[in-house]
Amino acid sequence: MLKKNKPQIFLFILVNLFFSINAFSQKSIYAGIEIGRRAIKVSVLDVNNIRKADYKILSFWTDRIPFADHIGANGQLTPEDINKTSVIVVDQLKKIRADYKILDENIFIVAAPVFASASNVDVLKNKIKMLTDKNLDVLNVNEEAKTLVKGAMPPIDYANAFLLDIGAQTTKGGYIDELDDNKLEFVPLELDFGTMTLTDAVKKTVVNPNQANDMSTYQEKSFDFNPILRKKVKEMIDANPLLAKKDKVYLSGGAVWAFSTLYYNENVKDHYITLTMEDIINYDAILKNNFNKYTNLAKTNKEAERVLKTYDQAYLISANNILTTCLEGIPNLNTKKIYFVKDGQVTWLISYIADRSKKVNTNF
């Protein structure tokens, strides 16, 4: 009897094995739809080891919409924004499910903290829920730095590293302190200056209106402003003595992206790029004394072109002043490893995955 049914049994085993492997592979794939300040971003990741941040980006897609500008103008999302967002979310969900067969519990939809200030954000949340049967989470501004740290740093490094993210308005980040009973405490870091706010502060010190757009004047005033920046950084570092004991520094944000792209001029596929202080100082000299090198690079390098379309020379100088000053203020910097978090666009998704992993302690 057994001999007679061998082919059927063998086929049954193969079919079950196929579905078992397929189900297993689905468990490692995650997708996130982020409704950000100025764009909707869709990411699909295949995660091999979340503790070591070992993952592969299967897909990344973005559609630019100036949500923050619209909310800032009248305190509300426009009907056009709500309708367009809903259509994009529904279409992208269909595509994700069709292309990757992802488990529904592995798909997350979030909105940036700026959406909490929109008086009609519930209209968007309710519409997405009705159309997709999935919740839209609005990220909490008070939790933003924690989410960033959890997602930007490999969980295996939580205990011995810290993160600084140089944004447009502020520089933020933090570190994780180990307490008793397997508990962790998140300690935020924040600096009042970001790339744009520092540039604006420097420009206000230019008294003569005729020199407002003169780059040599801007550089001079930027240099004069550095003591104020150093003082602010020192206050942040001195208030957090545990930073001296951390072995690794993770950096993210536009300032570090600009440096890494323009200076290294390489298509690096690693999630983390090793940086050196010497390279950052050399880059600073090029920004101030040989900027044509980068304008020429942008003619043949699309990523460099994207940097220069995002930041002009003044913004790049301010960005690197923050980067340099923050690193110079870190005790025992020469004993630490410095990394650029290249995949900043998926840090929130990595954070969500880490929160749901039994292999990562996010008890803080």
Side-chain angles (χ1 to χ4, degrees):
M1 180 75 178
L2 183 61
K3 212 170 189 178
K4 187 178 177 182
N5 292 326
K6 258 187 179 181
Q8 290 92 328
I9 293 171
F10 181 67
L11 181 62
F12 178 78
I13 291 171
L14 278 179
V15 170
N16 273 279
L17 183 62
F18 170 79
F19 283 109
S20 297
I21 292 171
N22 193 40
F24 178 78
S25 64
Q26 288 175 1
K27 288 181 182 178
S28 70
I29 300 178
Y30 295 81
I33 300 175
E34 177 192 9
I35 307 168
R37 295 176 60 87
R38 291 183 171 83
I40 296 176
K41 302 173 185 177
V42 182
S43 310
V44 181
L45 307 181
D46 187 357
V47 180
N48 181 50
N49 187 324
I50 190 63
R51 287 192 74 247
K52 296 180 179 179
D54 179 5
Y55 61 88
K56 181 180 180 182
I57 299 178
L58 300 179
S59 175
F60 180 75
W61 175 91
T62 184
D63 188 4
R64 299 205 169 274
I65 305 173
F67 294 112
D69 295 345
H70 297 166
I71 294 170
N74 56 22
Q76 290 188 330
L77 286 160
T78 65
E80 291 78 13
D81 282 349
I82 292 172
N83 289 333
K84 186 172 182 180
T85 301
S86 302
V87 169
I88 290 172
V89 169
V90 169
D91 287 348
Q92 288 303 312
L93 265 179
K94 286 179 182 175
K95 181 173 173 55
I96 288 167
R97 285 167 171 158
D99 291 354
Y100 299 100
K101 308 295 187 294
I102 302 177
L103 298 177
D104 205 57
E105 66 214 50
N106 287 5
I107 303 173
F108 310 105
I109 309 174
V110 303
V114 68
F115 286 82
S117 64
S119 60
N120 62 341
V121 69
D122 283 344
V123 177
L124 177 62
K125 291 171 75 171
N126 292 337
K127 187 161 189 175
I128 287 177
K129 177 67 175 178
M130 179 186 71
L131 294 173
T132 69
D133 198 31
K134 292 193 71 67
N135 293 323
L136 169 65
D137 293 339
V138 179
L139 297 176
N140 184 332
V141 67
N142 298 319
E143 296 287 313
E144 189 176 16
K146 187 191 292 187
T147 300
L148 184 64
V149 169
K150 281 191 298 182
M153 300 193 317
I156 199 170
D157 283 342
Y158 280 175
N160 67 337
F162 66 94
L163 172 87
L164 287 173
D165 178 87
I166 304 173
Q169 303 298 319
T170 63
T171 298
K172 57 184 178 294
Y175 59 94
I176 296 163
D177 187 20
E178 291 184 312
L179 306 177
D180 296 331
D181 301 326
N182 203 33
K183 289 184 179 179
L184 306 172
E185 179 184 12
F186 173 72
V187 182
L189 298 170
E190 185 160 4
L191 182 70
D192 290 341
F193 290 115
T195 299
M196 293 184 182
T197 48
L198 178 59
T199 304
D200 291 344
V202 171
K203 285 182 175 179
K204 285 177 183 176
T205 66
V206 179
V207 178
N208 186 342
N210 295 327
Q211 296 178 318
N213 297 314
D214 180 66
M215 186 48 59
S216 61
T217 301
Y218 180 83
Q219 289 195 39
E220 178 187 330
K221 295 298 183 182
S222 178
F223 180 81
D224 292 342
F225 202 89
N226 277 343
I228 298 173
L229 182 59
R230 288 193 195 101
K231 183 175 181 290
K232 291 283 189 181
V233 170
K234 187 176 186 306
E235 289 171 356
M236 179 182 72
I237 300 293
D238 287 351
N240 295 277
L242 280 177
L243 295 181
K245 299 179 180 179
K246 304 291 184 181
D247 298 327
K248 298 178 181 180
V249 183
Y250 285 91
L251 301 167
S252 61
V256 205
W257 164 65
F259 156 65
S260 177
T261 301
L262 295 177
Y263 189 78
Y264 293 127
N265 186 22
E266 295 175 1
N267 185 18
V268 181
K269 293 183 179 180
D270 294 338
H271 302 312
Y272 302 99
I273 300 173
T274 303
L275 310 181
T276 70
M277 193 64 183
E278 182 182 0
D279 288 343
I280 293 168
I281 292 170
N282 290 340
Y283 165 73
D284 194 68
I286 299 170
L287 282 182
K288 293 170 180 173
N289 305 312
N290 188 22
F291 193 66
N292 282 340
K293 177 177 180 177
Y294 293 140
T295 56
N296 289 332
L297 176 65
K299 294 174 183 177
T300 57
N301 184 304
K302 288 193 178 298
E303 198 66 7
E305 180 187 23
R306 197 157 73 91
V307 169
L308 296 193
K309 281 184 176 179
T310 306
Y311 304 109
D312 63 18
Q313 187 179 4
Y315 281 135
L316 288 172
I317 289 171
S318 293
N320 209 55
N321 279 349
I322 296 173
L323 175 59
T324 305
T325 305
C326 283
L327 289 177
E328 286 177 341
I330 297 169
N332 309 316
L333 181 67
N334 62 330
T335 66
K336 303 181 190 301
K337 293 181 179 178
I338 309 169
Y339 301 100
F340 166 46
V341 182
K342 183 170 174 282
D343 302 323
Q345 75 274 15
V346 299
T347 52
W348 76 266
L349 180 54
I350 294 291
S351 176
Y352 265 55
I353 298 168
D355 273 338
R356 288 153 181 80
S357 172
K358 295 177 181 177
K359 298 178 181 178
V360 178
N361 180 8
T362 54
N363 185 23
F364 56 88

